[in-house]
Every structure is written in structure tokens, then in C-alpha cells.
Amino acid sequence: MGRTPCCDKKGLKKGPWTPEEDEILVDYIKKNSHGSWRTLPKQAGLLRCGKSCRLRWTNYLRPDIKRGPFTPEEEKLVIQLHAILGNRWAAIAAQLPGRTDNEIKNLWNTHLKKRLLSMGLDPKTHEPLPSYGFAKQAPASPTTRHMAQWESARLEAEARLSRESMLFTSSGGVKSDCDHFLRIWNSEIGQSFRNLAPFDESTTTTSQSPCSRTTTSSSSAAFPKNSKSSQGKEIVMAFHGSDYYSPCSNHVEDDSSDSALQLLLDFPISDDDMSFLEENIGSYTESPVDAVSMLSKF
DNA sequence: AACCCGATCAACCGCTACTTC
DNA sequence: GGAAGTAGCGGTTGATCGGGT
């Protein structure tokens, strides 16, 4: 399939938007909704391409945009989600009402990445950097046992997924991976997971079902079929088999091999449980949850 | 005051996924 | 099934600002 230009670039304005342009766009969308972004600029009388209009609307003009600095709780959530989802900014943004993918991306690149680096964590993998002096040790502590269990569960789930994937694809109507993860994330299981680094839920609506949420990013964007990052995929794989045919349910159904979910439940969730991580930082092994553990240091 | 430099963030670009025909 | 059209995502860029010298 050939690449198609998003618009006729001749005579179209680029660069920063003026207040007048903003007003025209907002007025038009309020009256007509955006409809087709491609045709919107012409109909609204804007010398912009549809793509630019969409971006301006979703990143800046939307009425539900939350302006202002990120709260520490939001930052924690971004890091937690990034540890699982990787650079899926839209998927992360879907869990932070009022925040845009662009905003979160900027936050990550300008603040959080550096913060992880300063803590000796690789911002890409959330694993300890070799230069930070973390030595891999035998899994003796509860933490490292969990890591080993995670890996074991992941491998098990991955194998099971490969067996089941053909079944699912042949049966049709299967929801995308993201929905499974987000359901889990928004369920009590996810709640327990988020409690690793407790924060005031009143500041977020992460418990809200993604199925009922209206965001700029559909939840289906969370896990593209050929995900570039394996981090989120691995976690999602571990969740496969649970609740597969009950979209939007807010609890996890029983599953014969839900060891991964059990691990989530089994994970320490109180401050006290996590405190030893701070003391035993050197015992971390590779796992996406390393960064989550480190959150307690924020 | 002038310059430099790093931080920030809005906007653009290129690509992929999805939808329609 | 394949081509064309469209929307959305993530990476990158560039303008702007503020602090330091």
C-alpha cells in the first residue's frame, strides 16, 4: 500500500496555531463535531491540514484536557505503566484522564527518563544498569523469588498463548491484547498491583473501565498486533486465558492456569512489604517490576 | 547586557493499522 | 484479496524560555 499524503500541502499553514485559528477550530467542532479530519479544515475555513487540526484538538483544545504540571501520583502511574506497556504513550495516556500522549511522552523524555537513569535504572527496560553496580544474585530473597516466578509464569503463558492463538483467531471476534491488559489493570488485580506504590485514587480514575471511557486514544491502540516493545506483550501474554470472552467485566474470571494473575495477587502490596526492596536494591534481577519497586523511592 | 546552553513543549513527519470499496 | 483512503501513534524537531556565566 502506498503512502498517501495527509493533505494537499500547497498553501497550507504550518507552525504554531494562532488564537484565531484555535477559535475557528473549537467553534467548528462544537457545532459539527470533527467528523472527517481530512475534510474539516476546508469546511471550517482553516488553512491547515486535517492532521494538524486533529493534533491541535486532541493535544490542546479538547475541553477535557487537564493542563498544568503532573502530580507525583500521575508520574508514578506513568512509570508503572511504562514498565508494562513500554512506549505506548496513547495507552498510557488512556489511563490518565485529561492527559495526552504527547504530554506524557514529553514528561517521560524530559523528566522521568532522567529520574530513572539517576536511580540506576535503564529507562527502556526498567532494569538496573550494569554500571550501577547491581550484581545478579541467586534468587534467595522474596523479591527475587517473585522475579523467577514471574518469568516462569510468563514462559508458561507464552507457550499457552501460542497454542491458543490459532483457536482465537479462527473463532473471530477476539478483542485485542490491550483490552485484556487494561481490564486486568482496572480490576482489583490491577489495583493491588498499583498499590505497590500507593497513591490517592481520588486523583485519578484508573479504576474506571476503559470500555466506558471516552479518550482520544482507543484502547485498541494499547497493543498493536506487532508490538515493537516486548515488555507489555509479555505481561499481556501472562494474562491470556483470563476473562477472555467477557469484555468490560471488571473482575477476573477463574482460570485453570492463571499463575500470572496469582503472582500479581501474591505480590507484596503494602509499604512494609516493599520497604525491603529499598534496602536490597542490589538483589534486583531483570524484570519490568523493578521500576515499580523503585517507585517507593519517589 | 549579551551570550550560551539546557529544558520544555507544541507541532510536524513518517509509518502502521484500520476501514472502505 | 487487494488497493486506496483515513486515522492514529510514536519519534523527532524546532521555537521559546529561563538560568547561568
Side-chain angles (χ1 to χ4, degrees):
Chain A
M1 173 176 77
R3 179 179 160 74
T4 55
C6 74
C7 54
D8 176 13
K9 304 207 174 195
K10 285 179 185 172
L12 291 183
K13 195 180 167 192
K14 287 170 69 174
W17 281 64
T18 64
E20 291 76 24
E21 288 176 310
D22 284 346
E23 197 181 337
I24 291 170
L25 183 58
V26 170
D27 283 349
Y28 181 85
I29 291 177
K30 273 183 182 171
K31 287 174 188 165
N32 309 286
S33 88
H34 64 72
S36 164
W37 287 113
R38 192 179 174 82
T39 57
L40 182 147
K42 200 174 181 180
Q43 291 170 355
L46 284 164
L47 289 173
R48 296 274 182 175
C49 75
K51 208 171 182 177
S52 181
C53 292
R54 182 180 60 79
L55 217 60
R56 184 62 179 170
W57 173 255
T58 57
N59 285 342
Y60 200 83
L61 298 174
R62 245 172 49 206
D64 57 330
I65 294 281
K66 189 199 284 182
R67 314 298 308 177
F70 280 73
T71 65
E73 289 75 25
E74 286 176 316
E75 293 184 357
K76 283 179 193 174
L77 186 57
V78 169
I79 295 172
Q80 282 181 317
L81 288 166
H82 187 274
I84 298 164
L85 297 166
N87 291 4
R88 317 240 95 77
W89 306 119
I92 294 171
Q95 298 300 309
L96 285 108
R99 300 298 188 182
T100 68
D101 54 349
N102 209 28
E103 210 175 1
I104 290 168
K105 186 167 58 181
N106 283 335
L107 172 76
W108 182 262
N109 288 328
T110 58
H111 288 107
L112 302 183
K113 205 155 87 172
K114 289 170 192 167
R115 200 179 298 175
L116 285 190
L117 279 170
S118 72
M119 292 165 71
L121 291 172
D122 185 334
K124 278 189 177 176
T125 62
H126 293 246
E127 293 168 10
L129 292 164
S131 57
Y132 202 67
F134 291 148
K136 289 183 181 177
Q137 298 175 359
S141 71
T143 314
T144 49
R145 279 202 303 275
H146 273 295
M147 305 306 172
Q149 288 172 327
W150 261 102
E151 181 62 11
S152 169
R154 185 187 67 78
L155 290 171
E156 180 195 337
E158 197 166 347
R160 183 159 50 83
L161 174 67
S162 65
R163 288 197 306 272
E164 293 175 351
S165 60
M166 289 186 70
L167 266 177
F168 287 132
T169 50
S170 61
S171 63
V174 178
K175 305 277 285 182
S176 58
D177 285 347
C178 68
D179 288 342
H180 310 303
F181 168 70
L182 289 175
R183 278 206 306 282
I184 298 295
W185 181 259
N186 287 322
S187 72
E188 59 204 65
I189 310 299
Q191 181 61 52
S192 296
F193 188 62
R194 292 194 295 278
N195 282 347
L196 287 169
F199 59 88
D200 180 9
E201 283 291 314
S202 66
T203 61
T204 73
T205 57
T206 53
S207 61
Q208 201 176 353
S209 166
C211 300
S212 61
R213 287 268 306 284
T214 304
T215 66
T216 54
S217 309
S218 68
S219 59
S220 64
F223 292 103
K225 280 171 186 167
N226 54 344
S227 169
K228 289 174 193 167
S229 163
S230 63
Q231 297 257 0
K233 191 170 66 179
E234 289 176 355
I235 297 295
V236 170
M237 283 175 171
F239 290 147
H240 267 285
S242 66
D243 198 19
Y244 216 102
Y245 292 112
S246 56
C248 302
S249 84
N250 226 20
H251 66 278
V252 179
E253 307 287 337
D254 179 48
D255 187 282
S256 59
S257 58
D258 249 343
S259 53
L261 290 176
Q262 186 54 47
L263 280 169
L264 267 183
L265 286 168
D266 195 28
F267 225 77
I269 60 171
S270 71
D271 279 337
D272 288 345
D273 287 338
M274 295 302 290
S275 61
F276 69 93
L277 292 175
E278 297 178 27
E279 295 159 11
N280 298 308
I281 188 168
S283 68
Y284 288 162
T285 58
E286 55 237 64
S287 163
V289 293
D290 283 347
V292 178
S293 309
M294 295 289 276
L295 288 169
S296 59
K297 298 176 84 67
F298 281 100

